[in-house]
Amino acid sequence: MKTAKTFSLLSLFVLLVTAWAQNPGYRVDPGWKVPPKAAVKKNPLPPTPAVLAGGKALFRAHCASCHGRDGQGGRRAADFHLAAVQAQSDGALLYKMSHGYRRKGMPSFSQLPEVQRWQIILYLRELGKERGHRK
């Protein structure tokens, strides 16, 4: 009986810590402006399995430390499964990834070749499909 109660309390604790670490209330910061010319850029890459696998590897190498291994976000980082993120254009995501936003702790990834940033964006789109857009 004591073991079951301990297990239940431990499970509840893990659930609460996981929920706390996530960022379900993420909203796009209205102060993070994307120039209209940048927002309309289209991703030139096709979502082939090879391109997506590359995007996933790049994401895990460069983005997962803040956004989580599977893009679920964190206390300060966006959850890429959320509709608020998925609703942004590919061009807006490219701009944000390229320029960063120091006010919120997002570094610039302009050192990555643009083709790799586009690969990451394709992978972000797959994250939205895998779990659906969380509200």
Short mmCIF file of all heavy atoms in Angstrom, two decimals, residues 11 14 24 28 37-38 46 54 59 62 74-75 101-102 108 120-121 123 129 134:
data_model
loop_
_atom_site.label_atom_id
_atom_site.label_comp_id
_atom_site.label_asym_id
_atom_site.label_seq_id
_atom_site.Cartn_x
_atom_site.Cartn_y
_atom_site.Cartn_z
N SER A 11 4.67 9.97 -9.38
CA SER A 11 4.09 10.18 -10.71
C SER A 11 3.49 11.57 -10.83
O SER A 11 3.67 12.26 -11.84
CB SER A 11 3.03 9.13 -11.00
OG SER A 11 3.59 7.85 -11.03
N VAL A 14 6.33 14.14 -11.13
CA VAL A 14 6.91 14.14 -12.48
C VAL A 14 5.98 14.85 -13.45
O VAL A 14 6.42 15.65 -14.28
CB VAL A 14 7.22 12.70 -12.94
CG1 VAL A 14 7.57 12.66 -14.42
CG2 VAL A 14 8.36 12.12 -12.11
N PRO A 24 2.87 25.94 -22.62
CA PRO A 24 1.61 25.91 -23.38
C PRO A 24 0.97 27.27 -23.55
O PRO A 24 0.16 27.47 -24.44
CB PRO A 24 0.72 24.98 -22.55
CG PRO A 24 1.27 25.09 -21.17
CD PRO A 24 2.74 25.28 -21.33
N VAL A 28 3.04 34.52 -29.54
CA VAL A 28 4.01 35.22 -30.37
C VAL A 28 4.17 36.62 -29.81
O VAL A 28 3.19 37.32 -29.56
CB VAL A 28 3.54 35.26 -31.84
CG1 VAL A 28 4.50 36.06 -32.69
CG2 VAL A 28 3.39 33.85 -32.38
N LYS A 37 8.57 41.89 -46.31
CA LYS A 37 9.33 41.29 -47.40
C LYS A 37 9.94 39.95 -46.97
O LYS A 37 10.04 39.02 -47.76
CB LYS A 37 10.43 42.25 -47.84
CG LYS A 37 10.97 42.03 -49.20
CD LYS A 37 11.92 43.17 -49.58
CE LYS A 37 12.10 43.20 -51.07
NZ LYS A 37 12.91 44.31 -51.50
N ALA A 38 10.34 39.85 -45.71
CA ALA A 38 10.91 38.60 -45.19
C ALA A 38 9.82 37.56 -44.94
O ALA A 38 10.01 36.37 -45.17
CB ALA A 38 11.69 38.86 -43.91
N PRO A 46 12.03 20.85 -50.86
CA PRO A 46 10.91 19.91 -50.80
C PRO A 46 11.00 19.10 -49.49
O PRO A 46 12.09 18.82 -49.01
CB PRO A 46 11.13 19.00 -52.00
CG PRO A 46 12.64 18.98 -52.15
CD PRO A 46 13.09 20.37 -51.75
N GLY A 54 17.67 15.56 -42.23
CA GLY A 54 18.71 16.56 -42.02
C GLY A 54 18.23 17.68 -41.12
O GLY A 54 18.95 18.14 -40.23
N PHE A 59 18.14 20.46 -36.03
CA PHE A 59 17.34 20.94 -34.91
C PHE A 59 17.91 20.43 -33.59
O PHE A 59 18.10 21.18 -32.64
CB PHE A 59 15.88 20.49 -35.05
CG PHE A 59 15.03 20.90 -33.89
CD1 PHE A 59 14.42 22.13 -33.86
CD2 PHE A 59 14.85 20.05 -32.81
CE1 PHE A 59 13.64 22.52 -32.77
CE2 PHE A 59 14.09 20.42 -31.72
CZ PHE A 59 13.48 21.66 -31.70
N HIS A 62 21.24 22.22 -32.78
CA HIS A 62 21.28 23.66 -32.57
C HIS A 62 20.10 24.25 -31.79
O HIS A 62 20.22 25.36 -31.27
CB HIS A 62 21.36 24.38 -33.93
CG HIS A 62 22.57 24.01 -34.71
ND1 HIS A 62 23.84 24.48 -34.43
CD2 HIS A 62 22.72 23.18 -35.78
CE1 HIS A 62 24.70 23.98 -35.27
NE2 HIS A 62 24.05 23.18 -36.10
N GLY A 74 10.03 25.12 -23.59
CA GLY A 74 10.45 25.19 -22.20
C GLY A 74 9.90 26.44 -21.57
O GLY A 74 9.02 27.10 -22.14
N ARG A 75 10.43 26.79 -20.43
CA ARG A 75 9.89 27.96 -19.72
C ARG A 75 9.97 29.22 -20.55
O ARG A 75 9.09 30.05 -20.51
CB ARG A 75 10.62 28.15 -18.41
CG ARG A 75 10.24 27.14 -17.39
CD ARG A 75 10.84 27.37 -16.05
NE ARG A 75 11.51 28.65 -15.96
CZ ARG A 75 12.10 29.10 -14.89
NH1 ARG A 75 12.11 28.38 -13.81
NH2 ARG A 75 12.69 30.27 -14.88
N TYR A 101 16.46 37.10 -31.17
CA TYR A 101 15.69 38.09 -30.41
C TYR A 101 16.26 38.08 -29.00
O TYR A 101 15.79 37.36 -28.12
CB TYR A 101 14.21 37.70 -30.43
CG TYR A 101 13.25 38.75 -29.96
CD1 TYR A 101 13.30 40.05 -30.43
CD2 TYR A 101 12.25 38.43 -29.05
CE1 TYR A 101 12.38 41.00 -30.02
CE2 TYR A 101 11.32 39.36 -28.64
CZ TYR A 101 11.40 40.65 -29.12
OH TYR A 101 10.48 41.60 -28.71
N ARG A 102 17.30 38.85 -28.80
CA ARG A 102 18.03 38.85 -27.52
C ARG A 102 17.13 39.12 -26.32
O ARG A 102 17.35 38.58 -25.25
CB ARG A 102 19.17 39.86 -27.57
CG ARG A 102 20.28 39.45 -28.50
CD ARG A 102 21.11 38.37 -27.86
NE ARG A 102 22.11 37.92 -28.82
CZ ARG A 102 22.69 36.76 -28.77
NH1 ARG A 102 22.41 35.92 -27.82
NH2 ARG A 102 23.58 36.42 -29.66
N SER A 108 20.86 34.45 -32.63
CA SER A 108 20.84 34.40 -34.09
C SER A 108 21.52 33.11 -34.55
O SER A 108 22.52 32.69 -33.98
CB SER A 108 21.60 35.60 -34.66
OG SER A 108 21.89 35.39 -36.03
N ILE A 120 15.59 23.08 -41.12
CA ILE A 120 15.04 23.11 -39.76
C ILE A 120 13.58 23.51 -39.79
O ILE A 120 12.74 22.92 -39.10
CB ILE A 120 15.87 24.03 -38.84
CG1 ILE A 120 17.26 23.43 -38.61
CG2 ILE A 120 15.14 24.27 -37.51
CD1 ILE A 120 18.24 24.37 -37.93
N ILE A 121 13.25 24.49 -40.62
CA ILE A 121 11.86 24.95 -40.72
C ILE A 121 10.95 23.83 -41.23
O ILE A 121 9.85 23.63 -40.71
CB ILE A 121 11.76 26.22 -41.58
CG1 ILE A 121 12.41 27.38 -40.82
CG2 ILE A 121 10.31 26.54 -41.94
CD1 ILE A 121 12.69 28.60 -41.65
N TYR A 123 11.43 20.70 -40.71
CA TYR A 123 11.28 19.80 -39.57
C TYR A 123 10.27 20.37 -38.56
O TYR A 123 9.45 19.64 -38.01
CB TYR A 123 12.63 19.54 -38.90
CG TYR A 123 12.50 18.70 -37.67
CD1 TYR A 123 12.08 17.37 -37.76
CD2 TYR A 123 12.77 19.21 -36.41
CE1 TYR A 123 11.93 16.58 -36.63
CE2 TYR A 123 12.63 18.43 -35.27
CZ TYR A 123 12.20 17.13 -35.38
OH TYR A 123 12.05 16.36 -34.27
N LYS A 129 2.62 18.60 -37.46
CA LYS A 129 1.78 17.51 -38.00
C LYS A 129 1.76 16.30 -37.06
O LYS A 129 0.74 15.65 -36.92
CB LYS A 129 2.32 17.05 -39.36
CG LYS A 129 2.19 18.06 -40.45
CD LYS A 129 2.84 17.51 -41.71
CE LYS A 129 2.93 18.54 -42.81
NZ LYS A 129 3.66 18.03 -43.97
N ARG A 134 -1.36 22.17 -30.79
CA ARG A 134 -1.90 22.28 -29.43
C ARG A 134 -2.47 23.66 -29.25
O ARG A 134 -1.93 24.63 -29.73
CB ARG A 134 -0.80 22.07 -28.39
CG ARG A 134 -0.29 20.67 -28.36
CD ARG A 134 0.63 20.55 -27.16
NE ARG A 134 1.66 19.60 -27.47
CZ ARG A 134 2.79 19.51 -26.82
NH1 ARG A 134 3.07 20.31 -25.84
NH2 ARG A 134 3.67 18.60 -27.15
#
